[in-house]
């Protein structure tokens, strides 16, 4: 009978260790995925700010909306790999030359991008606006 109790304690201990490892793995992956989303948002915001500033300067110099859009695309492409500037999310105020744009990208996550209800969390979108420089 002592042997039976010994085996049961080992079984409970083994199950507990496995459960703890699984919990730590899930929490760790969640932290990594969350960090990836936050980092993507921060780097995307920097790219969007730079793109809006470059597009506003180009529009001030040339008053060509397509050229300003192309310059914004180039800036985003150089600063944020895989990011997009949808044409319908790029606006220029004709009077002031103020540019407003939205930049989107899918964050590189391990798990979230595959989980149905959480999948949209990996889609990062930021908006920036900038007046043309006054120099």
């Amino acid at each position: 009978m002592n042997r039976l109790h010994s085996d049961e304690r080992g079984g409970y201990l083994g199950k507990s260790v496995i459960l703890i490892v699984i919990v730590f793995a899930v929490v760790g992956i969640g932290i990594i995925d969350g960090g990836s989303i936050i980092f993507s948002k921060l780097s995307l915001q920097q790219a969007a700010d730079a793109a809006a500033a470059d597009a506003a300067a180009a529009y001030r110099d040339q008053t060509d909306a397509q050229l300003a859009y192309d310059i914004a695309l180039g800036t985003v492409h150089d600063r944020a790999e895989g990011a997009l500037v949808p044409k319908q999310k790029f606006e220029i105020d004709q009077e002031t030359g103020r540019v407003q744009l939205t930049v989107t990208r899918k964050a590189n996550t391990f798990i979230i991008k595959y989980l149905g209800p959480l999948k949209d969390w990996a889609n990062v979108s930021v908006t920036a606006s900038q007046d043309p420089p006054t120099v």
Side-chain angles (χ1 to χ4, degrees), residues 1-9:
M1 225 176 198
N2 282 339
R3 183 175 180 166
L4 181 63
H5 288 353
S6 172
D7 289 344
E8 287 177 7
R9 280 185 289 185

Side-chain angles (χ1 to χ4, degrees), residues 38-121:
I38 290 168
F39 178 74
S40 285
K41 190 165 186 89
L42 291 173
S43 65
L44 212 56
Q45 187 65 58
Q46 290 176 346
D49 290 340
D54 291 350
Y59 187 76
R60 180 203 63 197
D61 294 342
Q62 302 291 326
T63 60
D64 182 348
Q66 183 61 48
L67 175 65
Y69 177 71
D70 292 342
I71 287 174
L73 282 178
T75 300
V76 167
H77 176 56
D78 291 344
R79 292 176 175 249
E81 183 179 335
L84 303 171
V85 180
K87 184 77 169 178
Q88 66 273 18
K89 298 286 187 171
F90 181 85
E91 300 172 3
I92 299 177
D93 184 323
Q94 302 289 325
E95 292 178 20
T96 65
R98 183 175 185 81
V99 172
Q100 181 170 328
L101 55 82
T102 299
V103 181
T104 62
R105 176 172 66 185
K106 184 171 226 103
N108 188 15
T109 61
F110 288 113
I111 300 294
I112 289 177
K113 64 183 170 189
Y114 300 115
L115 297 177
L118 304 179
K119 202 182 285 189
D120 287 340
W121 289 7

